[in-house]
Amino acid sequence: MADRTFALLKILRVMLSVLAVPLLAWVVYRNWDKFTVVAETPITTFLWIGAVTLVSLIANSFRLRVAAALFDAKLTPTEAFLVASTNTFFNVVTPMKGGIAVKGMYLHEVHGMSWPGYAGSLLVTQILASSLSIGLALIILAAFGVLPPFIVLSVAALCALLAILMWRQRDWIRTRLLRGRHFDGAGDRFASIARNRPALLLFAVAHIVFLLCITTRLFLVFTVFVPEIAFWQVLLIQSVLTGALFVSLTPGNIGVQEGLVAVAGTFLAIATASAVLASLAERAFVLLTALPVGGLCSIPVMRRIRDASRP
């Protein structure tokens, strides 16, 4: 069953990747004139975007360091930055969250964490991060009247119902769902971490800080194409992205991210072309930072994994 699921995901990933690149290229070609605003943008704007991008990498390393405590691994600030930047690098260049696998290899080989323990810990932090992002999006939708109240309340009630069902079925999740060669013992790890409320609260704070950093970067890019956009609108878009993109279906979620931005922009009365171009421009800034910085950081990280794995 698992092999069939992964095979279907692989087919879906290839199809999305093949469709996304030419479609995005067509959008850029049809709206090439809109890129003229980039040449008219003050250089200080690009400097701020670059600075915020570097700060977001630091914030991401802080979030990893907090999460590592849940993984029973104590990372130094420098070590956390190297691993977090490597994680971002592989998430950009490989599909299906390749950075998660590299991060797991590092924690397993260097810090002795078991794969089941990593799987259980990762599940808790991913669920928490997505829940915080989706919850923030719902708050923004309600506060600024983007959608009718009954729709927001209905979605919130559905999310709450799913959370209650997961909690009531926690024993089933622990004993049945999280089992198998790679997940044997992950359920117990999942349950123990879920009860560590102080550590989870600290991770929640770290995730919000990281979310605000990447939102600021996206906001600065959006102001180039849509000068009248408000910060809360970009925060809503970024919250939706962070909550929904739990798994990368294409390398760096290219095409998937732009589609979600376009859909979210429609509810905010933002032109689809402007939303897609802003998303692509923000991706370019991430690539300009993640590829060189992450690529350099991956060298010592992969070396430590290799050295630690030697008998």
Side-chain angles (χ1 to χ4, degrees):
M1 183 65 180
D3 293 337
R4 181 180 299 177
T5 300
F6 279 110
L8 291 175
L9 285 174
K10 185 176 181 179
I11 295 173
L12 177 62
R13 170 174 57 84
V14 173
M15 292 177 59
L16 288 175
S17 300
V18 170
L19 292 173
V21 175
L23 181 59
L24 291 175
W26 179 80
V27 172
V28 171
Y29 173 76
R30 290 297 300 270
N31 297 275
W32 186 253
D33 58 307
K34 289 184 170 58
F35 273 105
T36 57
V37 299
V38 176
E40 302 169 358
T41 304
I43 188 64
T44 53
T45 301
F46 297 108
L47 292 176
W48 275 112
I49 293 173
V52 172
T53 301
L54 290 175
V55 171
S56 67
L57 287 175
I58 296 173
N60 191 30
S61 67
F62 172 67
R63 186 178 66 156
L64 172 61
R65 196 180 181 204
V66 172
L70 294 172
F71 303 160
D72 291 334
K74 294 182 179 180
L75 303 179
T76 65
T78 301
E79 188 180 19
F81 181 82
L82 291 174
V83 176
S85 298
T86 302
N87 174 68
T88 302
F89 171 76
F90 279 98
N91 281 345
V92 169
V93 300
T94 60
M96 301 300 289
K97 292 288 186 183
I100 289 179
V102 175
K103 182 170 59 179
M105 289 174 60
Y106 185 89
L107 292 172
H108 174 69
E109 298 292 347
V110 178
H111 290 274
M113 170 172 287
S114 66
W115 282 109
Y118 177 66
S121 304
L122 187 63
L123 184 60
V124 173
T125 53
Q126 290 280 38
I127 290 176
L128 179 58
S130 293
S131 300
L132 286 169
S133 301
I134 294 174
L136 182 59
L138 290 174
I139 292 173
I140 296 173
L141 287 171
F144 292 93
V146 180
L147 292 177
F150 78 91
I151 294 181
V152 177
L153 291 175
S154 298
V155 175
L158 178 61
C159 292
L161 178 61
L162 290 175
I164 292 173
L165 288 175
M166 287 186 64
W167 177 253
R168 290 180 64 87
Q169 298 297 321
R170 59 188 183 277
D171 291 333
W172 180 84
I173 294 175
R174 179 171 58 85
T175 59
R176 297 294 184 86
L177 183 61
L178 297 178
R179 66 177 184 176
R181 185 166 60 93
H182 296 292
F183 294 97
D184 188 23
D188 294 327
R189 184 67 175 163
F190 175 89
S192 64
I193 292 176
R195 290 192 294 267
N196 192 349
R197 295 180 181 177
L200 291 178
L201 179 61
L202 183 58
F203 176 82
V205 173
H207 177 71
I208 293 298
V209 171
F210 171 70
L211 181 60
L212 290 175
C213 287
I214 58 178
T215 298
T216 302
R217 180 183 63 204
L218 184 59
F219 172 71
L220 290 173
V221 176
F222 251 104
T223 56
V224 175
F225 298 92
V226 190
E228 67 277 8
I229 197 167
F231 185 81
W232 70 265
Q233 293 176 309
V234 182
L235 182 58
L236 173 61
I237 293 174
Q238 188 63 68
S239 298
V240 171
L241 287 176
T242 308
L245 299 181
F246 192 91
V247 174
S248 293
L249 294 177
T250 60
N253 267 321
I254 186 169
V256 180
Q257 173 179 311
E258 285 71 23
L260 286 174
V261 171
V263 172
T266 302
F267 288 100
L268 299 172
I270 299 173
T272 300
S274 297
V276 172
L277 292 177
S279 179
L280 287 172
E282 193 257 354
R283 180 187 294 279
F285 278 107
V286 173
L287 288 175
L288 287 173
T289 305
L291 290 181
V293 175
L296 290 173
C297 290
S298 67
I299 296 174
V301 169
M302 300 306 292
R303 183 187 298 121
R304 288 202 65 182
I305 292 175
R306 184 179 65 251
D307 293 343
S309 61
R310 289 175 178 171

